[in-house]
Amino acid sequence: MKVLVIGSGGREHALCWRLARSPSVRALYACPGNPGMAAVATCLEAGGTTPEDFLHAAESVDADLTVVGPEAPLVAGIADCFRAAGRLLVGPSRQAARLEGSKIFAKQFMRRAGIPTAAFRVAANEAEAREALKHFGVPVVLKADGLAAGKGVVVARTRQQAEQAAADLLSGRLVGPAGSQLVVEECLEGEEASFIVLTDGRRVLAFECTQDHKPVNDGDTGPNTGGMGAYCDGRILSAPQREQVLERIILPAIRTMEAEGTLFTGFLYAGLMLTAEGPMVLEFNVRMGDPEAQPLMHTLEGDLAAALASAARGALDESALRWNGRPSVCVVLASEGYPGTPRVGLPISGIERAEGKGAVVFHAGTRRRNGELVTAGGRVLGVTASAADLPGAIDRAYAAVREIHFEGMHYRRDIARKGLKRW
Ligand code: AMP
Ligand code: GLY
């Protein structure tokens, strides 16, 4: 198979790295890719970022299968565009991608499907927001309806903060037009987890559970980021919890999508809060997680391309992939300034030494300048390592991190620490 991966971040490098090890892959392409992906795939220039631009890229190499990393092309209808052109792509249609593209759609969908989630109300202006807030105590959560790259959620500690956040979101100051409508919801308590499955719309292949670290600083403090690290560990969920997630969340979601005529194919990602009343959904995403993909791809066994193609064809081979049972930890190395405006263009050293310590270094925001590798984004690298147990995986990942340097580099020192209580 000739396989094309769309995207240019750490998640896409991890997908490429695993696909390069797939027996059924004859040629691997990335569009637009990054220097890390270029080591395992041929990078294609993107003429733009519309579904048609990506279709042209797929046609230029006659790709047999296209895998989409980020949400934006899916929400824009890339799956419909490829399907109309008769080209195989793994990912949901534009209609099905509303599960991520509209928080209001997602919440109303969960209500219809009976999926456990926080109580909520919708508001389209400040008066409606004030009215909605009367139904909740504090803390309370406000969410922009549209795609906001993780910046559209505010957990307000006081009523005044909540009203201010509503005004900032609705006016477009915080996230632009994505905030023109809001979800106001109950604040849930517990540990968060990411549960991701591959589905053909009827059958599911569940990946091992992962945990992301969104706040920029140790101890979950500071502003939210796209994710400062993630780990994959079979102990995050007990066997009964895993069963609950499948039976009460994933299967009802997939069956309700099918019943409503919007068959969901591709990766379905449930962002969970593990509350005292059981797992509840904070959000759905319609793609692999970033950085969750890095530890997941690192420890996956089997033919990923064959599994993805079977899902895209509507005949998922549920036994195509296995987890090797080894916990895996990914530490993100970020640029000075991130999650604000990052400083970029700084030389990066030590990747080979880090890989010599048994880690895999996934590129997220890098580029080549006259042959030299330099920083090119907020999240620069994802240093990923696994071991027989979680403490060993953490030690190995951080030993590798210590080999890497760029000016202003920062990272969290406590990735996966929450998981240690389960060992
Ligand atoms: P989301 O993009 O919906 O996952 O929200 C981003 C982050 O906000 C989540 O990872 C949580 O940390 C937090 N969050 C979202 N919804 C809630 C909620 N209902 N209760 C508590 N925290 C939440
Ligand atoms: N790691 C969070 C996300 O991919 O949305």
Side-chain angles (χ1 to χ4, degrees):
M1 252 189 295
K2 288 190 272 183
V3 181
L4 168 64
V5 174
I6 290 177
S8 61
R11 162 185 51 208
E12 291 79 18
H13 185 188
L15 285 166
C16 274
W17 181 86
R18 174 51 60 203
L19 285 165
R21 285 158 178 74
S22 267
S24 62
V25 173
R26 182 159 61 83
L28 188 58
Y29 302 91
C31 181
N34 68 31
M37 293 157 87
V40 289
T42 305
C43 294
L44 308 174
E45 253 179 62
T49 56
T50 68
E52 290 74 21
D53 294 323
F54 292 123
L55 179 62
H56 289 149
E59 283 171 341
S60 74
V61 294
D62 195 21
D64 301 303
L65 175 70
T66 299
V67 186
V68 185
E71 60 276 15
L74 293 165
V75 172
I78 192 172
D80 311 78
C81 173
F82 273 60
R83 224 152 274 155
R87 215 164 262 287
L88 201 63
L89 175 142
V90 60
S93 67
R94 192 159 77 91
Q95 290 278 62
R98 284 180 300 168
L99 267 187
E100 177 164 0
S102 166
K103 300 258 190 216
I104 297 174
F105 175 84
K107 294 295 290 191
Q108 291 172 341
F109 171 83
M110 285 189 259
R111 190 180 270 165
R112 292 197 296 280
I115 293 172
T117 188
F120 74 101
R121 292 187 169 241
V122 172
N125 56 50
E126 287 188 44
E128 286 179 17
R130 272 195 301 276
E131 169 58 28
L133 285 168
K134 287 185 193 153
H135 297 267
F136 301 94
V138 286
V140 61
V141 184
L142 294 99
K143 299 184 174 184
D145 176 51
L147 287 186
K151 301 199 175 83
V153 177
V154 178
V155 180
R157 305 272 151 211
T158 64
R159 176 59 60 88
Q160 197 190 357
Q161 265 177 20
E163 289 189 8
Q164 187 61 50
D168 290 344
L169 285 164
L170 287 162
S171 67
R173 280 195 292 277
L174 222 47
V175 294
S180 65
Q181 290 192 84
L182 303 182
V183 169
V184 178
E185 73 178 32
E186 172 199 6
C187 189
L188 300 176
E189 272 178 45
E191 210 175 310
E192 286 183 50
S194 308
F195 197 91
I196 303 172
V197 304
L198 174 66
T199 176
D200 62 2
R202 296 189 181 91
R203 284 161 289 249
V204 302
L205 192 164
F207 292 93
E208 197 47 75
C209 192
T210 47
Q211 210 166 41
D212 189 10
H213 299 67
K214 284 190 177 132
V216 68
N217 297 322
D218 287 2
D220 287 334
T221 57
N224 266 351
T225 68
M228 292 298 288
Y231 69 103
C232 150
D233 176 4
R235 299 192 183 189
I236 296 172
L237 293 184
S238 64
Q241 278 177 316
R242 195 177 163 83
E243 204 52 36
Q244 279 179 3
V245 174
L246 280 167
E247 292 298 326
R248 297 186 192 170
I249 293 170
I250 300 294
L251 294 174
I254 283 161
R255 288 185 191 132
T256 305
M257 286 306 256
E258 184 187 10
E260 295 185 349
T262 45
L263 196 75
F264 187 98
T265 59
F267 295 112
L268 179 63
Y269 165 146
L272 305 175
M273 189 70 94
L274 306 176
T275 74
E277 284 80 49
M280 296 178 83
V281 177
L282 296 178
E283 63 166 348
F284 277 120
N285 294 318
V286 300
R287 48 165 177 83
M288 249 295 153
D290 188 346
E292 289 91 332
Q294 288 82 320
L296 282 176
M297 293 301 121
H298 188 238
T299 49
L300 201 64
E301 286 178 356
D303 191 332
L304 178 62
L308 296 175
S310 73
R313 288 198 191 95
L316 178 69
D317 177 0
E318 294 134 298
S319 63
L321 300 174
R322 288 171 313 282
W323 185 53
N324 71 10
R326 291 163 64 84
S328 175
V329 174
C330 169
V331 180
V332 169
L333 307 184
S335 294
E336 186 178 333
Y338 181 74
T341 310
R343 241 180 106 201
V344 295
L346 301 163
I348 303 168
S349 64
I351 292 184
E352 278 180 17
R353 282 196 305 278
E355 296 203 318
K357 300 255 172 186
V360 178
V361 179
F362 293 117
H363 292 228
T366 69
R367 70 180 176 89
R368 292 230 176 256
R369 188 177 58 199
N370 304 324
E372 183 186 36
L373 192 70
V374 299
T375 62
R379 290 189 293 176
V380 178
L381 299 168
V383 180
T384 309
S386 64
D389 55 24
L390 187 64
I394 294 173
D395 287 348
R396 191 169 282 178
Y398 280 103
V401 163
R402 285 191 286 274
E403 299 295 332
I404 297 179
H405 177 76
F406 53 87
E407 217 181 298
M409 171 176 119
H410 65 96
Y411 58 91
R412 278 181 61 159
R413 264 83 176 162
D414 63 349
I415 300 301
R417 194 175 289 166
K418 273 196 216 93
L420 289 177
K421 61 178 176 285
R422 290 181 278 262
W423 282 84

